[in-house]
């Protein structure tokens, strides 16, 4: 009598995963990773802007406005922090880069002036809200609760974008170039953070 039955008859052999289940799990990990990275970058953009306006004479009103936005981003970041832990998804390896790049983008645009800082917010939030909108579509059937949460964050980003536009983002010197460059940078950061 054989001690080891052939593998094919073993009751412990697991059934193959439902088609597409693993692929969706991998895709979900990418989505959570990139969202976490984006919110980390966003927190640091506003911190960079606040570092400049907080220290500038007459910058108190900008600092207060930016503090509000930073608080929203910090809440988004905390939510994605929790989700990464719950879903056992590793954060992007590029997190240290996004901290530095975000802060530099925020501080750099703030040094160009209030309108440039608003142009930065408008450009970043335009890319992020579109990114969240497409995720909501992708998630709504299989992860409805997460889709609702992402949709709520998207509403916050839309409010940031509209506030920046109303404050004169498009009057920034070199607006078209500045805005296009920031949007391109954000899209590249999104593509990288999904995978790396
Ligand atoms: Fe956010
Ligand atoms: Fe935002």
């Amino acid at each position: 009598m054989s001690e080891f039955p052939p593998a094919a008859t073993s009751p412990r052999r697991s059934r193959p995963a439902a088609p597409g289940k693993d692929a969706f799990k991998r895709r979900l990990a990418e989505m959570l990773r990139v969202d976490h990275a984006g919110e980390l970058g966003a927190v640091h953009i506003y911190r960079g802007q606040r570092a400049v306006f907080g220290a500038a004479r007459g910058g108190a009103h900008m600092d207060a406005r930016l503090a509000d936005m930073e608080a929203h981003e910090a809440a988004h970041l905390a939510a994605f922090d929790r989700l990464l832990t719950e879903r056992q998804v590793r954060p992007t390896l590029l997190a240290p880069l996004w901290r530095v790049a975000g802060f530099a983008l925020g501080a750099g645009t703030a040094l160009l002036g209030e309108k440039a800082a608003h142009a930065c917010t408008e450009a970043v939030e335009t890319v992020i809200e579109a990114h969240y909108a497409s995720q909501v579509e992708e998630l709504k059937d299989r992860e409805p609760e997460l889709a609702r949460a992402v949709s709520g964050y998207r509403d916050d980003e839309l409010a940031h974008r509209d506030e920046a536009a109303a404050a004169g983002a498009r009057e920034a010197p070199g607006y078209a170039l500045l805005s296009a460059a920031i949007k391109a940078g954000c899209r590249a950061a999104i593509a990288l953070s999904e995978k790396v």
Side-chain angles (χ1 to χ4, degrees):
M1 189 177 116
S2 166
E3 267 183 80
F4 301 102
T9 63
S10 164
R12 282 196 296 178
R13 247 176 106 83
S14 59
R15 272 175 301 171
K21 198 175 161 196
D22 282 356
F24 182 72
K25 202 176 161 198
R26 277 195 299 276
R27 177 66 192 132
L28 185 61
E30 284 183 0
M31 287 192 265
L32 294 176
R33 179 152 52 240
V34 69
D35 293 354
H36 178 263
E39 297 298 350
L40 184 69
V43 166
H44 285 80
I45 290 171
Y46 289 117
R47 277 191 197 160
Q49 293 184 335
R50 290 185 63 204
V52 171
F53 290 116
R57 191 182 300 223
H61 69 289
M62 277 296 280
D63 189 40
R65 171 182 279 204
L66 294 164
D68 243 23
M69 294 187 185
E70 186 192 326
H72 298 152
E73 309 303 359
H76 301 168
L77 177 60
F80 284 111
D81 252 332
R82 281 193 300 275
L83 280 159
L84 287 193
T85 306
E86 273 170 34
R87 308 293 182 110
Q88 296 179 299
V89 173
R90 67 160 176 82
T92 174
L93 301 172
L94 301 172
L97 174 63
W98 300 148
R99 282 195 192 92
V100 173
F103 192 92
L105 176 62
T109 49
L111 285 168
L112 294 174
E114 288 186 16
K115 301 260 159 92
H118 291 310
C120 169
T121 299
E122 192 217 21
V124 171
E125 302 291 16
T126 298
V127 173
I128 302 300
E129 78 80 12
H131 165 79
Y132 279 156
S134 87
Q135 278 197 356
V136 170
E137 278 306 301
E138 211 174 332
L139 290 168
K140 66 180 188 207
D141 294 330
R142 298 179 82 157
E143 288 278 349
E145 198 181 319
L146 182 57
R148 265 192 299 281
V150 171
S151 178
Y153 307 148
R154 176 179 176 241
D155 290 343
D156 290 341
E157 317 303 8
L158 280 168
H160 298 163
R161 182 201 68 183
D162 293 347
E163 189 178 330
R170 283 165 209 170
E171 293 152 30
Y175 167 78
L177 188 61
L178 183 65
S179 180
I182 293 171
K183 285 176 182 164
C186 288
R187 291 194 185 105
I190 287 173
L192 271 170
S193 299
E194 280 183 348
K195 305 293 181 192
V196 182

